Amino acid sequence: MKPASRAGAWLAIALGSLYFLLPLIATFEFSLRMRRESYSLEAYRVVLTDPGFQSAFGYSILMALLTVITSIVLVVPTACWIELRLPRMRPVIEFITLLPLVIPAIIIVFGYLRLYNSSSWLPLTGNERATDLLLICSYVTLSLPYMYRSVHSGLRAIDVRTLTEASESLGAGWFTTLAHVIAPALKSAILSGSFLTFAVVIGEFTMASLLNRPAFGPYLQLIGANRAYEPSALAVIAFLVTWASMGLIQVVSRNAAGAGAKRRLPGA
Amino acid sequence: MAFLDIAHVGKTFGAASVVNDVNLAIEKGEFVTLLGPSGCGKTTLLRMIAGFESASSGSIHIDGHDVTLQRARQRRVGMVFQSYALFPTMTVADNIAYGLKIAREPKSAIAERVEQMMKLIRLSQHAQHYPWQLSGGQQQRVALARALASSPRLLLLDEPLSALDAKIRVALRDEIRALQRKLGITTLFVTHDQEEALSLSDRVVVMNEGRIEQVGTPFEIYNFPRTRFVASFVGTLNILNSRVLDEASGLVEVDGQTVTVARLRRSGHGERTLALRPEAVVLESPLAGRNSLMATIEEVNFLGSVVRLRARLQETVLSFDIFNDPGQTLPQRGSRVALGFSHDNLLELEAS
């Protein structure tokens, strides 16, 4: 019974791995075949030296960083406030933060276009900077589930209420407590949320494309429609960025766990 | 007005009344304990004094100032929590310095004060350690130093020892008391542990269901409980339901047998609740001038240095302890014995 079920488990793992890895390996292999005679990184050289790639990738990184900053500023105080003062609102906020997972991006962006088009009461699509702002807002919405989830679980792990009270009884106001006590204690949770947000935003296509902004996602699509080997190279690059973000989350959360695991020195 | 003056303070959460018309006056330098079972309102009362909860009614004065409507951060009250609540990303020294930094004390003064506090709690060598590197007892000492560093007017301790091991609990208990005496700081300590309350305090406030049952020195609370609740919560008191036979001589009837009560509190006939400490009861044949009750032994528990016995009259069950003595034979279960105690040992409790 035992060996049979173990063999079944390994079979499932093998099939799963093939399902996920085969396309990746194939894409990678294909991206190396730009030169007929041998494997080379020619496709990567072409892509990386393309000014279009540089500007699109740079633009997406900038948007991602601004999104991360905005969502930290928005989510951290909100989550603390909910935890401390309005625990009854928690289910409502959780519902709201999960909505972007359920509502397709295209619906959100169409909503934006209806609300903020150039003939509306707040025309944000009229010039590029305003559209960038709209794009950042839409990215903040899109990444809300990830940022809120990780901050919320971070808050759960520390006793915010008592820490806040301790800080208050020592004379600190709300902002001081947030900046000096709670935010540092949430550092690893905030970083995890940030990397996730970064990974989600860097390759996002729908929002950027429909708002007509020169981001990495639309560039990927454009190259994909016109070239043979470069899209594969770009896909591998996009995967690497995502994996780097995931790896950093692991590093950050392992450090936090390590601090907890090393508890207690000898002596009372 | 007393240093800490609590007048008619009440707290309601929705329809539930958690603290009910509490009046308490605490003098400067006193160590007072709020003692009671969980849910009796002692922690809520403490949190209202700290400013974490607002009082639904009544007023709180500290050192002559009305603080009822002040925020916690304005009250200059030091607080120590059961869970230590040390700031996890700060070192021991930074934790202690936190309140002083917020008060914008000069850097040199902060360094000096932190140094002094760490010496006081004997953790100078751990100045650069983080809370997670310390044991529970050490963490609580840091929390104590942090609360005391900015010289608060009042020190509040919310079950600070409950999360610690038994041995460390006793050691830290003595340390808290010694520190409090040294600094002369007015202290309010919340606990559900009667031993802690009796051993630490100048005065004990026994609370039940949001009300104060009795305020007194540990000696008074233990020896002269006023209500049935205090009697049963502090120590293991035997409760006897009795009926007055002769008011002048204090003769009462318990389960068909008569005993004498030295002092009856109230006049008139009828039912009275009496309390009897287990340590007052001895096995002895009836003696003139002492009470004697015939009872049947129900249970014999050999605990080592003492033997705890349980005996039944009819309805009434009495627990009492005798010292272990290898030379004596223990009474058997089911045997009839005579239990003796003095007239003074029977305490009449207030009707509840």
Side-chain angles (χ1 to χ4, degrees), chain A residues 93-219:
Chain A
I93 296 292
E94 277 179 15
F95 178 73
I96 292 172
T97 56
L98 286 177
L99 279 180
L101 287 184
V102 187
I103 300 175
I106 193 154
I107 291 181
I108 299 176
V109 79
F110 266 105
Y112 279 156
L113 288 175
R114 289 209 58 150
L115 268 176
Y116 303 114
N117 65 45
S118 35
S119 57
S120 73
W121 58 276
L122 184 60
L124 283 178
T125 51
N127 71 71
E128 291 188 350
R129 289 294 80 79
T131 315
D132 287 343
L133 184 70
L134 194 56
L135 186 64
I136 290 169
C137 290
S138 68
Y139 283 164
V140 169
T141 311
L142 206 61
S143 60
L144 212 48
Y146 311 103
M147 188 55 103
Y148 185 82
R149 285 280 118 197
S150 53
V151 170
H152 183 258
S153 60
L155 278 173
R156 278 285 148 111
I158 59 169
D159 185 354
V160 228
R161 180 174 292 272
T162 317
L163 285 180
T164 308
E165 285 175 355
S167 172
E168 261 181 65
S169 76
L170 292 165
W174 164 247
F175 183 76
T176 312
T177 304
L178 192 65
H180 294 285
V181 176
I182 298 177
L186 289 178
K187 198 173 74 188
S188 69
I190 293 174
L191 282 175
S192 306
S194 303
F195 290 132
L196 263 174
T197 302
F198 190 86
V200 167
V201 169
I202 199 81
E204 203 282 334
F205 171 75
T206 319
M207 304 270 190
S209 170
L210 286 170
L211 289 174
N212 198 24
R213 300 306 301 144
F216 185 55
Y219 173 80

Side-chain angles (χ1 to χ4, degrees), chain B residues 189-210:
Chain B
F189 185 99
V190 160
T191 183
H192 61 264
D193 183 319
Q194 51 131 336
E195 189 194 320
E196 240 167 67
L198 295 176
S199 65
L200 274 171
S201 327
D202 293 318
R203 283 195 296 156
V204 177
V205 177
V206 184
M207 290 187 67
N208 185 33
E209 293 181 346

Side-chain angles (χ1 to χ4, degrees), chain B residues 1-10 19-26 32 34 42 44-50 55 57-63 65 67-68 75 154 156 188 205 207 212:
Chain B
M1 187 178 274
F3 185 74
L4 170 63
D5 191 81
I6 298 164
H8 303 292
V9 164
V19 172
N20 230 319
D21 193 36
V22 164
N23 292 284
L24 189 61
I26 295 172
V32 175
L34 301 179
K42 56 188 193 301
T44 309
L45 181 60
L46 194 81
R47 291 172 58 80
M48 285 194 280
I49 298 167
S57 58
S59 68
I60 299 168
H61 286 77
I62 301 174
D63 200 8
H65 302 282
V67 300
T68 319
R75 295 196 185 189
L154 203 62
L156 306 177
L188 203 55
V205 177
M207 290 187 67
I212 292 183

